[in-house]
Amino acid sequence: MARSMKGRSLISSADFSAEEYQMMFEMTADLKRRVKMGEGHTQILRGRTLAMIFEKPSARTRVSFEVGMAQLGGHALYLSPNDIGMGKRESTADIARVFGRMCDGIMARVFEHEKVVELAKYAGVPVINGLSNDEHPCQSLADLYTIHEQRGDLRGLHLVFVGDGNNVAASLLLTCATLGVNMTVIHPNGYDVEIKKVEAQARQLAEGSKATLNFTTEPDAVRGADVIYTDVWASMGQEAEAEARAKLFAPYQVNSELVSKADRNVLVMHCLPAHRGSEITDEVMDGPHSVVFAQAENRLHAQKSLLALFIANGQ
Ligand code: CP
Ligand code: NVA
């Protein structure tokens, strides 16, 4: 195996090189195979604790990290939005210093991205971004692994994200740019806030990988897509905008008509939770192109690779 990743953190999807993503994918495949063979339980994280700080709700992230820690022989500690008041009851830096002395790793789901950056700066133990307003790097790791699992070589594939240029789109953009996957973001005019923040960095990464990156407001740009990806139109924290957004985003729904314009073997992806009937129809989500539940399952296997490599040195 290549150089050790012990002690590393994952704050942004740009934190890993193409080689490191490859290492993650190999370890993910190995851990998944062991689970499928009924040998998924190990003791490599015996006696280790992961603190999980949630400022926002979660199903997949909480369950995958908690189950992942249990399968690796360790323990995960769930801290709800009301438990610690990070940045309110005490500073984020002080929480980091305290948890770093008691725990072996921290996973945090936060509003301001700066909070996960600060946790990593002061904790002295690995910190994993379990979603911030700006990015969702665990999601894009599991997503690109899922595409690799379905299609093999990733280079030159074309992923088209349709909807809000949000945290999930931003992480996908950075991961695709690193791995040589061409990416188009189709979004309503002005709904590209998070992708704009990472665009320059993504373009720089794409120079190295030869990926092409495009941004458009035209839904027809799904033509030829190998992957169509969508997410909710209003993210956590934007609930007040949901009604207004629903009208604006209606032409961007991933439905059978839109899917029929893409490659005939197109994969349809959604990070979930989905608002069926809004950004994606039942017909597409439950249809033959959809890999959304494989994608959700792979959160578990991919994050176990992070925990194994960052905390236990992958042994
Ligand atoms: N995709 C994802 O992160 O799901 P949760 O919000 O349920 O964790
Ligand atoms: N963009 C969504 C992703 C949820 C996993 C949100 O931030 O709410």
Side-chain angles (χ1 to χ4, degrees):
M1 184 170 288
R3 69 194 162 83
S4 168
M5 294 184 78
K6 192 171 167 73
R8 287 276 297 271
S9 290
L10 176 60
I11 305 302
S12 163
S13 295
D15 289 351
F16 292 155
S17 65
E19 293 68 32
E20 287 167 342
Y21 271 110
Q22 194 53 45
M23 196 198 302
M24 293 291 171
F25 291 169
E26 280 164 25
M27 178 147 254
T28 301
D30 184 45
L31 290 166
K32 183 171 181 174
R33 192 170 51 243
R34 289 192 214 186
V35 170
K36 300 297 173 191
M37 285 165 51
E39 295 166 9
H41 289 85
T42 71
Q43 291 296 318
I44 63 169
L45 291 184
R46 190 163 66 154
R48 308 295 184 94
T49 301
L50 178 76
M52 305 193 300
I53 302 170
F54 282 94
E55 291 187 338
K56 300 181 183 184
S58 167
R60 277 144 293 273
T61 304
R62 176 181 177 182
V63 173
S64 53
F65 271 108
E66 202 160 325
V67 170
M69 281 301 286
Q71 289 184 357
L72 295 171
H75 176 67
L77 190 60
Y78 172 71
L79 298 154
S80 81
N82 301 322
D83 283 328
I84 55 174
M86 187 167 63
K88 296 186 192 99
R89 187 165 174 263
E90 65 188 307
S91 75
T92 302
D94 284 352
I95 289 282
R97 291 180 180 109
V98 172
F99 285 15
R101 285 167 179 251
M102 296 179 180
C103 306
D104 302 284
I106 299 171
M107 191 286 298
R109 168 166 286 196
V110 298
F111 287 92
E112 296 96 35
H113 185 76
E114 197 47 45
K115 277 194 181 169
V116 267
V117 174
E118 213 175 335
L119 283 172
K121 186 170 170 191
Y122 294 104
V125 295
V127 174
I128 298 172
N129 178 357
L131 181 146
S132 66
N133 285 349
D134 293 7
E135 281 203 49
H136 198 358
C138 293
Q139 186 68 54
S140 67
L141 169 70
D143 294 342
L144 270 295
Y145 172 77
T146 304
I147 301 169
H148 166 62
E149 194 177 44
Q150 300 275 340
R151 290 284 183 268
D153 193 9
L154 288 173
R155 294 179 79 88
L157 290 178
H158 186 198
L159 184 151
V160 179
F161 183 96
V162 188
D164 186 25
N166 60 17
N167 45 4
V168 171
S171 270
L172 286 169
L173 193 69
L174 291 168
T175 308
C176 286
T178 302
L179 295 174
V181 176
N182 303 321
M183 181 163 167
T184 299
V185 183
I186 305 176
H187 60 86
N189 196 18
Y191 288 89
D192 54 358
V193 177
E194 280 73 35
I195 52 170
K196 274 265 179 295
K197 289 188 201 166
V198 300
E199 184 184 343
Q201 195 180 13
R203 291 214 180 275
Q204 212 168 12
L205 291 166
E207 270 176 36
S209 73
K210 306 280 178 268
T212 59
L213 308 178
N214 291 296
F215 308 95
T216 175
T217 56
E218 180 45 62
D220 248 21
V222 294
R223 285 192 194 283
D226 297 300
V227 180
I228 293 177
Y229 197 118
T230 192
D231 183 16
V232 290
W233 291 337
S235 286
M236 292 181 275
Q238 298 172 333
E239 289 78 6
E241 293 175 43
E243 213 181 306
R245 283 176 176 240
K247 287 194 188 76
L248 263 165
F249 278 77
Y252 298 86
Q253 184 185 62
V254 176
N255 51 36
S256 297
E257 196 196 332
L258 194 86
V259 171
S260 71
K261 294 177 183 169
D263 184 84
R264 52 195 284 271
N265 294 318
V266 67
L267 302 176
V268 174
M269 303 182 78
H270 191 309
C271 58
L272 306 180
H275 293 162
R276 287 167 175 260
S278 292
E279 75 274 2
I280 190 166
T281 59
D282 283 333
E283 199 182 4
V284 170
M285 187 142 149
D286 301 326
H289 297 284
S290 171
V291 291
V292 301
F293 296 111
Q295 203 187 331
E297 179 189 333
N298 284 337
R299 291 287 305 279
L300 168 67
H301 308 300
Q303 289 159 197
K304 280 172 71 184
S305 77
L306 291 177
L307 296 167
L309 287 164
F310 291 177
I311 301 177
N313 207 14
Q315 290 146 13

